[in-house]
């Protein structure tokens, strides 16, 4: 499967899509209230089949005749997702699906056969870098720029809108994209941090700009201006869009940085090891800083790129001691605090950098855990206390093959 996202051109006809999305939002709220009453009375979830039959009866009434405007398939798909939310309320311990204003309902889904796509052959008013195509949704045509060629059969078309009123379509194709690239024969362990986004076992640090922090002052000023406007006025709506525009810019900056870093790592290493972190617990301790870095979203993008480029992204156990253990002699130093960024091992007297030492331990544990051999460090990445001996890169030895982090080595198979 491959998903490609395209933005529909701004046009007067977009108001029809917004109306359809509003109707689906109204139907969702109606059946959300109905399912809640059913759950309170009978103590079980309202099934999709019952909701579907009830929807068919309501659409025949004059009061709900406007519910026939969107494709029935899109309404049925919304009911399926609503029924799934109520099932997850019991199985996964989640709360009730929330009510939303109809104007805040974001998406609807079409089957691939219900949304034909054609190329626009008419002369365009402006020259564009990508060819212009049009798609038929709910009986009307909408134009967009096709920046990725369609390679397979379109199975689903997801229509979404954001707070600015921009409408996007996501095409799900029956196509698996694979890019064969030469093996580098390198394996690397990475330690996630607040100050340095990623610290590699080779000592290279990759920082991440705090995009939310960078735009915080601009956002505060825009929110203050928005709060001073009269509720319901056009001026307040204009300032609301200004606030949403700042949020959208922050999100796009973060997403762009994640994709570029993920592609860079997949091109440089064959195997990448990370810790299985408790991100929810970290958010309780450091709040916005962890959310601003969005490490979980970065791992999702990295796994996508690894599948496409035939790379491996592996996680070690959450309870593996990586920070307090010396990567040379495996001595565990219990006296380390969060403020100690560097420390000397009391057993082998090696001067250690906290983040780089953790990345070395992640690499060692990863190679040992995934049947790549027992790792024995031979030369450490930094100098030994009391001597002038230094090494530029860590050297690891395994029972099956030698792995040199940051240097050329045989490819893992």
């Amino acid at each position: 499967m491959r998903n490609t996202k395209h933005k529909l051109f701004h046009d007067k006809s977009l108001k029809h899509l917004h109306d359809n999305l509003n109707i689906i939002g109204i139907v969702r709220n109606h059946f959300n209230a109905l399912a809640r009453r059913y759950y309170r009375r009978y103590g079980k979830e309202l099934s999709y089949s019952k909701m579907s039959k009830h929807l068919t009866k309501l659409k025949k009434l004059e009061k709900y005749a406007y519910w026939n405007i969107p494709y029935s398939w899109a309404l049925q798909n919304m009911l399926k997702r609503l029924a799934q939310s109520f099932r997850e309320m019991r199985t996964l311990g989640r709360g009730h699906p929330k009510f939303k204003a109809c104007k805040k309902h974001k998406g609807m889904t079409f089957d691939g056969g219900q949304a034909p796509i054609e190329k626009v052959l008419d002369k365009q008013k402006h020259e564009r870098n990508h060819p212009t195509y049009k798609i038929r949704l709910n009986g009307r045509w909408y134009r967009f720029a096709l920046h990725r060629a369609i390679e397979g059969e379109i199975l689903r078309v997801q229509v979404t809108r954001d707070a600015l009123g921009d409408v996007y379509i996501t095409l799900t194709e029956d196509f698996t994209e694979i890019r064969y690239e030469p093996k580098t024969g390198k394996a690397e362990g990475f330690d996630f941090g607040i100050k340095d986004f990623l610290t590699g076992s080779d000592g290279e640090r990759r920082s991440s700009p705090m995009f939310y922090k960078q735009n915080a002052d601009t956002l505060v000023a825009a929110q203050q201006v928005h709060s001073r406007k009269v509720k319901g006025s056009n001026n307040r709506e204009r300032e609301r869009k200004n606030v949403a525009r700042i949020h959208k810019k922050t999100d796009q900056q973060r997403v762009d940085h994640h994709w570029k870093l993920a592609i860079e790592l997949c091109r440089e290493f064959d195997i990448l090891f990370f810790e299985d972190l408790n991100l929810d617990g970290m958010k309780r301790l450091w709040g916005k800083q962890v959310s601003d870095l969005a490490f979980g979203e970065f791992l999702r993008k990295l796994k996508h790129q690894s599948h496409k480029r035939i790379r491996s992204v592996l996680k070690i156990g959450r309870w593996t001691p990586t920070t307090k253990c010396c990567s040379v002699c495996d001595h565990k130093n219990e006296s380390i605090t969060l403020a100690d960024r560097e420390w000397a091992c009391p057993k082998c007297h090696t001067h250690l950098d906290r983040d780089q030492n953790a990345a070395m331990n992640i690499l060692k544990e990863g190679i040992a855990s995934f049947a790549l051999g027992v790792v024995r460090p031979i030369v450490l990445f930094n100098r030994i206390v009391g001597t002038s001996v230094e090494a530029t890169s860590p050297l690891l030895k395994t029972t099956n093959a030698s792995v040199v982090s940051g240097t050329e080595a045989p490819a893992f198979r």
Side-chain angles (χ1 to χ4, degrees):
M1 299 291 181
R2 186 183 76 160
N3 294 331
T4 55
K5 191 174 183 178
H6 310 269
K7 182 179 179 180
L8 297 182
F9 292 165
H10 281 286
D11 198 345
K12 292 182 179 180
S13 60
L14 281 184
K15 66 180 183 180
H16 301 291
L17 270 184
H18 286 289
D19 293 340
N20 295 334
L21 288 168
N22 293 342
I23 293 173
I24 293 181
I26 293 172
V27 177
R28 182 188 180 277
N29 286 337
H30 180 91
F31 279 91
N32 190 5
L34 188 65
R36 287 192 179 199
R37 291 196 299 269
Y38 187 87
Y39 186 82
R40 286 196 300 266
R41 174 171 293 185
Y42 301 105
K44 58 182 180 180
E45 300 83 11
L46 183 62
S47 65
Y48 159 72
S49 60
K50 291 182 179 180
M51 286 193 287
S52 178
K53 292 178 182 178
H54 188 63
L55 174 64
T56 304
K57 294 179 182 179
L58 292 179
K59 289 167 67 175
K60 296 178 181 179
L61 302 178
E62 183 179 358
K63 180 180 179 181
Y64 303 105
Y66 67 99
W67 286 8
N68 292 284
I69 296 176
Y71 272 7
S72 60
W73 198 93
L75 288 172
Q76 299 292 341
N77 183 266
M78 181 272 299
L79 292 181
K80 286 182 181 179
R81 289 185 276 114
L82 183 63
Q84 182 182 357
S85 299
F86 275 94
R87 287 196 302 269
E88 292 176 351
M89 180 182 65
R90 174 175 52 85
T91 57
L92 301 180
R94 296 178 178 175
H96 287 279
K98 296 182 179 179
F99 292 100
K100 295 181 181 179
C102 63
K103 292 185 178 180
K104 292 185 179 180
H105 186 78
K106 294 183 178 180
M108 59 180 171
T109 307
F110 296 90
D111 187 67
Q114 298 171 347
I117 296 177
E118 297 179 3
K119 188 174 182 179
V120 177
L121 301 177
D122 300 338
K123 186 176 180 180
Q124 300 295 312
K125 184 177 180 180
H126 303 286
E127 292 292 334
R128 294 186 174 87
N129 296 328
H130 305 290
T132 302
Y133 278 69
K134 60 182 180 180
I135 184 171
R136 187 178 178 87
L137 301 171
N138 281 335
R140 290 184 173 84
W141 292 96
Y142 304 92
R143 296 180 303 143
F144 65 97
L146 189 71
H147 57 81
R148 295 288 189 277
I150 299 175
E151 302 290 346
E153 180 185 359
I154 298 178
L155 303 179
R156 293 287 185 274
V157 177
Q158 177 76 23
V159 180
T160 56
R161 62 177 173 183
D162 57 16
L164 289 174
D166 296 332
V167 183
Y168 299 85
I169 57 171
T170 302
L171 307 179
T172 302
E173 306 172 41
D174 186 14
F175 170 73
T176 302
E177 184 178 6
I178 297 179
R179 296 186 181 182
Y180 295 98
E181 295 183 354
K183 296 288 186 178
T184 63
K186 299 179 183 178
E188 187 77 340
F190 293 95
D191 179 63
F192 169 68
I194 302 297
K195 183 178 179 182
D196 296 310
F197 184 62
L198 290 178
T199 302
S201 55
D202 59 354
E204 185 176 357
R205 301 176 184 273
R206 293 172 172 84
S207 61
S208 176
M210 296 285 193
F211 296 108
Y212 182 83
K213 187 176 180 180
Q214 289 180 7
N215 301 326
D217 294 339
T218 307
L219 179 62
V220 169
Q223 288 174 334
Q224 289 175 347
V225 174
H226 172 257
S227 65
R228 289 195 292 263
K229 302 303 179 182
V230 179
K231 291 185 178 181
S233 64
N234 291 333
N235 288 337
R236 189 179 179 90
E237 176 64 16
R238 183 186 68 246
E239 295 302 329
R240 183 198 65 81
K241 289 186 176 181
N242 189 28
V243 173
R245 194 172 290 111
I246 298 173
H247 281 295
K248 185 176 180 179
K249 176 185 176 181
T250 303
D251 179 67
Q252 288 179 338
Q253 286 176 321
R254 187 184 298 114
V255 169
D256 180 69
H257 176 264
H258 284 174
W259 280 120
K260 289 180 178 178
L261 181 58
I263 294 173
E264 177 187 344
L265 294 179
C266 288
R267 288 175 176 173
E268 189 174 352
F269 303 105
D270 286 347
I271 303 178
L272 302 98
F273 297 105
F274 295 88
E275 282 184 291
D276 184 16
L277 298 174
N278 182 9
L279 296 177
D280 291 335
M282 295 176 67
K283 289 178 183 179
R284 296 188 188 99
L285 291 176
W286 294 289
K288 289 182 180 180
Q289 290 180 311
V290 178
S291 300
D292 197 2
L293 293 173
F295 184 63
E297 286 296 313
F298 168 72
L299 281 183
R300 185 181 63 82
K301 296 178 177 63
L302 181 62
K303 289 179 180 178
H304 173 79
Q305 287 295 330
S306 67
H307 288 311
K308 186 166 66 173
R309 301 174 188 274
I310 319 298
R311 300 293 191 256
S312 297
V313 177
L314 305 173
K315 287 185 179 182
I316 67 171
R318 177 174 297 183
W319 307 109
T320 304
T322 58
T323 301
K324 296 183 178 182
C325 285
C326 175
S327 58
V328 178
C329 64
D330 292 335
H331 174 74
K332 189 174 182 180
N333 189 356
E334 297 288 353
S335 61
I336 297 179
T337 63
L338 190 61
D340 298 327
R341 309 315 302 174
E342 296 182 358
W343 57 285
C345 178
K347 185 176 180 180
C348 64
H349 306 290
T350 306
H351 186 74
L352 301 168
D353 179 85
R354 179 192 182 96
D355 297 333
Q356 193 174 358
N357 176 68
M360 270 295 282
N361 287 327
I362 292 172
L363 176 61
K364 290 170 54 180
E365 179 66 22
I367 294 177
S369 299
F370 294 95
L372 296 177
V374 179
V375 181
R376 300 184 182 90
I378 298 179
V379 180
L380 194 61
F381 47 78
N382 53 13
R383 65 184 179 84
I384 301 175
V385 175
T387 65
S388 60
V389 179
E390 293 189 357
T392 57
S393 64
L395 183 60
L396 304 177
K397 183 178 180 181
T398 67
T399 56
N400 298 328
S402 61
V403 183
V404 182
S405 177
T407 59
E408 294 293 332
F412 293 101
R413 298 186 184 275

